[in-house]
C-alpha cells in the first residue's frame, strides 16, 4: 500500500504515514541504499523490521529525499543534509516521518493492554488525572507514552528520563492535542503535541510551543 496519511499541522511541518503491506522484495525494488544501510538491513533478523526500515525510505522519497540525504548524530538522532528537522518512527505495520523547519519528534505505538503494567515506569504526575476505570485508560496511556517518546527523540539528550523529566498536561481523547513539558537541568521546555488513533495504533508528534 502506498502512502496512508499526510498531515500538515502548520506551514513548516509535514507528517507522512505509511501502512506496510508490501513484501520486503516489493519495498526494496525501487529503493537505493548506501552500502552501510544495506549492511544494516542484512543484519536485521526480523522481516518486519526490514520492511519497516525500507518503508521509511519510501516515506523519505515522498518528501523528495533519498537514503543519502539522511544521517545520524552521536546520540542517534536523524538529520537531513539540507538542514530541515526530521523524526522517524515505525511500529509493526506502520511507519511515520515528520519533516519540519523546527525541532520535532514523532512516535507510533500499537495499543496494547500491557502498557498498564509498565505505566509507573514512564509517568508519575499523569496518574493524578487518569482514572483506571475510564474506558479510554489504555488509549490515554498510549498517548502519553507516544508523546513522551516524541519528546525524547526531539530532545535527544543523554540522561533524559521519561519519568523524571517529562510530563503531559491533562487532556481528553477528543482533543487530539495537549501541552507537554521537559524539565531538565533546571530549564523548562514547552511543547505543543498532537495525537490521533488509527487501526489500533496511536501516533503523536511534538513541536516547540
Amino acid at each position: 500500500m502506498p502512502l496512508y496519511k499526510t498531515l500538515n499541522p502548520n506551514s513548516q511541518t509535514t507528517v507522512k504515514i505509511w501502512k506496510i503491506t508490501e513484501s520486503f522484495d516489493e519495498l526494496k525494488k525501487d529503493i537505493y541504499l548506501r552500502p552501510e544501510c544495506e549492511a544494516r538491513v542484512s543484519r536485521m533478523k526480523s522481516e518486519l523490521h526490514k520492511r519497516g526500515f525500507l518503508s521509511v525510505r519510501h516515506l523519505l522519497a515522498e518528501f523528495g529525499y533519498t537514503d543519502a540525504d539522511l544521517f545520524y548524530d552521536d546520540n542517534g538522532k536523524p538529520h537531513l543534509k539540507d538542514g530541515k528537522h526530521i523524526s522517524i518512527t515505525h511500529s509493526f505495520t506502520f511507519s511515520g516521518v515528520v519533516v519540519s523547519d523546527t525541532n520535532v519528534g514523532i512516535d507510533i505505538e500499537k495499543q496494547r493492554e500491557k502498557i498498564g503494567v509498565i505505566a509507573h515506569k514512564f509517568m508519575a504526575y499523569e496518574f493524578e488525572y487518569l482514572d483506571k476505570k475510564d474506558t479510554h485508560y489504555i488509549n490515554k496511556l498510549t498517548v502519553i507514552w507516544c508523546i513522551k517518546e516524541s519528546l525524547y527523540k526531539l530532545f535527544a539528550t543523554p540522561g533524559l528520563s521519561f519519568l523524571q523529566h517529562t510530563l503531559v498536561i491533562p487532556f481528553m481523547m477528543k482533543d487530539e492535542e495537549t501541552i507537554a513539558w521537559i524539565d531538565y537541568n533546571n530549564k523548562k521546555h514547552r511543547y505543543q503535541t498532537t495525537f490521533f488513533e488509527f487501526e489500533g495504533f496511536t501516533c503523536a508528534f511534538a513541536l516547540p510551543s
Side-chain angles (χ1 to χ4, degrees):
M1 181 178 178
L3 194 63
Y4 179 77
K5 186 186 289 284
T6 300
L7 298 169
N8 296 101
N10 59 48
S11 60
Q12 293 84 38
T13 307
T14 301
V15 178
K16 292 183 182 289
I17 294 174
W18 191 278
K19 185 173 183 179
I20 309 166
T21 59
E22 307 89 344
S23 69
F24 174 80
D25 289 337
E26 288 172 326
L27 287 166
K28 185 75 166 62
K29 187 167 56 178
D30 299 319
I31 294 295
Y32 169 78
L33 296 177
R34 290 166 292 162
E36 57 267 36
C37 288
E38 285 276 11
R40 182 178 170 188
V41 171
S42 68
R43 290 193 299 269
M44 293 179 181
K45 295 180 180 179
S46 165
E47 183 79 3
L48 200 54
H49 286 165
K50 291 181 179 182
R51 291 163 62 205
F53 184 92
L54 291 177
S55 69
V56 166
R57 271 61 195 169
H58 280 275
L59 285 172
L60 285 175
E62 291 285 339
F63 282 100
Y65 295 112
T66 68
D67 182 61
D69 294 312
L70 183 70
F71 68 97
Y72 291 81
D73 64 23
D74 292 340
N75 293 323
K77 184 175 182 177
H79 297 269
L80 292 167
K81 289 184 177 178
D82 66 1
K84 292 263 191 182
H85 296 268
I86 185 171
S87 187
I88 295 168
T89 183
H90 54 82
S91 176
F92 292 89
T93 52
F94 284 95
S95 59
V97 170
V98 56
V99 174
S100 180
D101 291 345
T102 60
N103 203 0
V104 65
I106 190 171
D107 189 53
I108 294 175
E109 296 292 339
K110 187 176 178 63
Q111 296 158 3
R112 293 180 285 181
E113 292 287 332
K114 71 178 186 181
I115 195 171
V117 178
I118 63 166
H120 66 283
K121 295 184 178 181
F122 66 85
M123 66 182 204
Y125 158 76
E126 293 81 6
F127 279 122
E128 295 178 13
Y129 64 79
L130 291 177
D131 180 359
K132 290 185 178 181
K133 295 179 182 178
D134 184 348
T135 55
H136 297 298
Y137 181 64
I138 296 300
N139 303 70
K140 288 182 176 179
L141 288 182
T142 309
V143 167
I144 291 167
W145 172 268
C146 284
I147 289 174
K148 293 194 173 206
E149 183 68 30
S150 298
L151 295 177
Y152 185 83
K153 291 179 178 181
L154 179 155
F155 209 61
T157 301
L160 184 75
S161 163
F162 283 24
L163 185 63
Q164 297 174 354
H165 303 128
T166 66
L167 62 86
V168 179
I169 298 302
F171 62 92
M172 296 180 68
M173 291 302 297
K174 66 180 182 180
D175 296 338
E176 295 195 331
E177 62 179 26
T178 189
I179 299 297
W181 292 84
I182 293 175
D183 188 346
Y184 187 76
N185 277 358
N186 298 316
K187 289 185 179 180
K188 292 180 171 61
H189 309 266
R190 187 178 190 267
Y191 298 94
Q192 178 68 45
T193 69
T194 301
F195 59 86
F196 54 95
E197 299 179 306
F198 53 94
E199 297 191 27
F201 287 79
T202 300
C203 178
F205 56 89
L207 292 159
S209 177

